[in-house]
Amino acid sequence: MTVILLRHGRSTSNTAGTLAGRGEGIALDERGREQAQAVADRLGDLPIAEIVRSPLLRCEQTVEPLAAQLGLAPIVEERLVEVDYGQWTGRTIKELSTEPLWKVVQQHPSAAVFPGGEGLATVQQRAVQAVREHDARLAAHHGRDVLWVACSHGDVIKSVISDAMGAHLDSFQRIVADPASISVVRYTSTRPFVLRTNDTGTDLTGFVPKAEDPNPPETEAADSSDAVVGGGAGS
């Protein structure tokens, strides 16, 4: 199965420079709504079998145009929800960067546990389990390679990519997942292949499964992983 990991579009919290977390009422801003429509334009012609999303409003709004275009009802997956930042929720990034825990989050994230919230190691565990379970379910249901979309949040997506790369969670800050960016992972019976990360504009039709070869060998997946990495850091 091939999953397109989609980060939600730019939110009002991104614009304000605050840590949204699971705070109520965090919606897409005007630019974010434009990005959501652009995602539908990019993905709308692909044979996407299913859309799975975080329960938060900004993810709901991001997949709305795509779901309408494809005629799909998104599945809400609680394990793809944003990190529970606890007492950090709603505070400015500028202020948080002075906290002693900030350095741990940046340099040793596997040890980071947010005050009153959850640890990043727990986030990775739940998110990876969710993605792999949905992937296995779709494989069993369709009996062939299909495309599906998982819409989530930056740190959650980075943790899934880190796992797919076989990298330690402490390296996940080297991965970038900009608002409305797309990362692509193909799961096989032996290992995942990371085909693209932080992509914000290139053609994705190369990831459509071939009808004549529904179960491509690992060598093909490895060859196709030489993809352009698009986008840069920032909101």
Side-chain angles (χ1 to χ4, degrees), residues 205-221:
T205 55
F207 301 119
V208 176
K210 298 178 182 178
E212 68 276 12
D213 189 7
N215 297 297
E218 289 185 9
T219 51
E220 289 189 17

Side-chain angles (χ1 to χ4, degrees), residues 19-22 83-92 95-96 99 101 113-118:
L19 193 62
R22 300 179 185 179
V83 180
D84 182 356
Y85 293 113
Q87 296 169 18
W88 279 28
T89 302
R91 296 173 62 186
T92 67
E95 178 187 7
L96 290 172
E99 294 277 358
L101 181 60
V113 178
F114 296 97
E118 66 181 334

Side-chain angles (χ1 to χ4, degrees), residues 109-133:
S110 65
V113 178
F114 296 97
E118 66 181 334
L120 288 172
T122 303
V123 173
Q124 183 182 51
Q125 182 180 30
R126 64 167 167 83
V128 169
Q129 182 180 34
V131 169
R132 287 179 177 267
E133 284 184 6

Side-chain angles (χ1 to χ4, degrees), residues 41-224:
D41 294 340
R42 290 187 69 198
L43 303 184
D45 292 332
L46 299 180
I48 292 169
E50 193 162 275
I51 299 172
V52 180
R53 68 166 177 86
S54 155
L56 296 185
L57 176 61
R58 51 195 183 273
C59 287
E60 177 183 357
Q61 293 176 325
T62 297
V63 301
E64 207 166 49
L66 177 63
Q69 188 163 329
L70 295 174
L72 295 174
I75 294 174
V76 176
E77 173 52 75
E78 296 290 339
R79 291 172 295 178
L80 293 182
V81 73
E82 177 63 289
V83 180
D84 182 356
Y85 293 113
Q87 296 169 18
W88 279 28
T89 302
R91 296 173 62 186
T92 67
I93 301 299
K94 183 178 180 179
E95 178 187 7
L96 290 172
S97 66
T98 65
E99 294 277 358
L101 181 60
W102 183 266
K103 184 177 291 186
V104 180
V105 172
Q106 300 303 317
Q107 298 182 13
H108 189 25
S110 65
V113 178
F114 296 97
E118 66 181 334
L120 288 172
T122 303
V123 173
Q124 183 182 51
Q125 182 180 30
R126 64 167 167 83
V128 169
Q129 182 180 34
V131 169
R132 287 179 177 267
E133 284 184 6
H134 282 285
D135 202 73
R137 175 179 57 81
L138 288 167
H141 178 73
H142 292 276
R144 57 180 175 84
D145 188 14
V146 298
L147 285 172
W148 64 286
V149 171
C151 181
S152 189
H153 309 267
D155 283 347
V156 180
I157 290 172
K158 287 160 59 178
S159 73
V160 173
I161 295 172
S162 180
D163 170 78
M165 287 179 168
H168 196 281
L169 183 60
D170 285 344
S171 299
F172 103 132
Q173 295 292 21
R174 302 180 185 187
I175 301 168
V176 177
D178 287 328
S181 67
I182 286 166
S183 300
V184 182
V185 178
R186 176 168 294 147
Y187 289 93
T188 74
S189 59
T190 56
R191 58 185 171 181
F193 293 92
V194 179
L195 305 181
R196 193 161 294 186
T197 61
N198 199 45
D199 189 294
T200 56
T202 54
D203 178 42
L204 297 173
T205 55
F207 301 119
V208 176
K210 298 178 182 178
E212 68 276 12
D213 189 7
N215 297 297
E218 289 185 9
T219 51
E220 289 189 17
D223 290 344
S224 67

Side-chain angles (χ1 to χ4, degrees), residues 3-44:
V3 59
I4 297 173
L5 300 168
L6 168 66
R7 185 183 173 188
H8 63 78
R10 196 175 75 176
S11 72
T12 52
S13 180
N14 293 141
T15 309
T18 59
L19 193 62
R22 300 179 185 179
E24 295 290 331
I26 305 298
L28 299 184
D29 65 7
E30 183 177 355
R31 174 59 180 153
R33 292 191 293 272
E34 293 173 354
Q35 290 172 330
Q37 184 56 55
V39 165
D41 294 340
R42 290 187 69 198
L43 303 184

